[in-house]
Amino acid sequence: MASTKSGATAPAEPGAGRELRYQRVYDLVLRLIEEQGLAPGDKLPSTAELTKLADVSVISVRRALDELDHDGVIERHQGLGTFVAKPRLISQPGRAGALLGTISHDEQPVEFTTELVRIAVGMPSRNHVRALDIQEGQPVWEISRVRSRDGRATVAERATLPLSLVPSLDEAELAGGRSLYELLEKLHGITEAYAEQVFQVDRPSQWEREQLGLGASDTVMRVRGVSYTDDDVAFDSYQQSYRADEFLFYVQGPRSTPRLVNPEAAGSWGVRALGAE
């Protein structure tokens, strides 16, 4: 775009800017997946084959593959090749209710297995005291669970609940995968009205590495939040840690059309120069 004398920006002339050759490869791979009906795990053409098919340099192919890998379209395995990636799961952390009820694939629920890592009563840190608006020294429950999909640990969660509000819990039901919030409603009449949340992309902590089987250089999406009742009473100070490369996070406003911005839409969100092929 060019600037006018008044300081405003004028539209670029048609044809300005050359074709981005890596985009040609990016689009070619998407087209191959669609037209050949390739499924997750199916192998894609090699770098050399893509170079010939798209009539571009190896550098352009590598850049396109980097973009496709980053966008979750493909997976590359050293010495094996390039494959169609498994679709990412959709998490809607802003939705009230059970954790697993907020996770889906293609708008369908996802099957998880649950491991109860820890359930104990202890003394909360100052951050939990402030989050739950309780007195220092007031005991709390700490519940840690890991959710796995196809034998792979995917989400680690920790819940901290004041003992004064939650005098008892059912360990067997929690170990069996029962929703904590369903259990709280059943045992103590506590229901979630809304939550306050903070989202952070970060390197995993030691605890997250142990629970999710991650390396120090991997990435997690960490959701830290506090759940409240209709009476504005905080009853759960929690943390949910997701493998960042396996999830998309979707938040819908109260007046927006569901999936107007489709989080599962594949392909580039870029803008091409006018006149590019």
Side-chain angles (χ1 to χ4, degrees), residues 89-229:
L89 300 177
I90 307 300
S91 174
Q92 295 179 261
R95 247 174 59 187
L99 168 66
L100 298 188
T102 69
I103 299 174
S104 64
H105 165 58
D106 198 20
E107 301 186 4
Q108 298 299 316
V110 180
E111 291 291 328
F112 289 92
T113 57
T114 299
E115 177 191 358
L116 179 60
V117 178
R118 170 183 167 86
I119 178 170
V121 173
M123 292 295 114
S125 68
R126 289 186 177 180
N127 282 333
H128 285 310
V129 168
R130 284 193 291 267
L132 294 169
D133 194 22
I134 58 178
Q135 297 295 319
E136 286 199 41
Q138 182 176 331
V140 295
W141 290 101
E142 183 183 49
I143 305 160
S144 302
R145 294 194 288 183
V146 172
R147 312 289 190 163
S148 298
R149 182 189 184 207
D150 299 331
R152 178 179 168 89
T154 301
V155 186
E157 55 176 312
R158 291 197 285 197
T160 304
L161 316 169
L163 205 65
S164 59
L165 292 176
V166 185
S168 63
L169 285 169
D170 189 319
E171 182 173 344
E173 292 213 51
L174 290 171
R178 177 74 178 269
S179 161
L180 173 60
Y181 286 8
E182 288 178 2
L183 192 58
L184 291 177
E185 183 173 9
K186 172 187 170 183
L187 295 178
H188 306 295
I190 296 173
T191 59
E192 182 190 32
Y194 64 97
E196 177 186 4
Q197 297 179 313
V198 175
F199 300 82
Q200 181 182 18
V201 177
D202 200 2
R203 297 298 184 194
S205 66
Q206 181 64 35
W207 183 81
E208 289 164 331
R209 292 201 297 270
E210 291 172 356
Q211 304 311 314
L212 297 175
L214 298 172
S217 62
D218 288 323
T219 308
V220 293
M221 167 63 88
R222 187 179 302 124
V223 180
R224 196 179 299 281
V226 181
S227 291
Y228 297 86
T229 67

Side-chain angles (χ1 to χ4, degrees), residues 11-33:
E13 292 295 326
R18 59 188 179 83
E19 177 189 10
L20 299 175
R21 291 182 174 82
Y22 83 90
Q23 186 68 51
R24 188 192 304 174
V25 184
Y26 189 110
D27 293 343
L28 171 63
V29 172
L30 292 180
R31 194 164 61 250
L32 287 173
I33 293 172

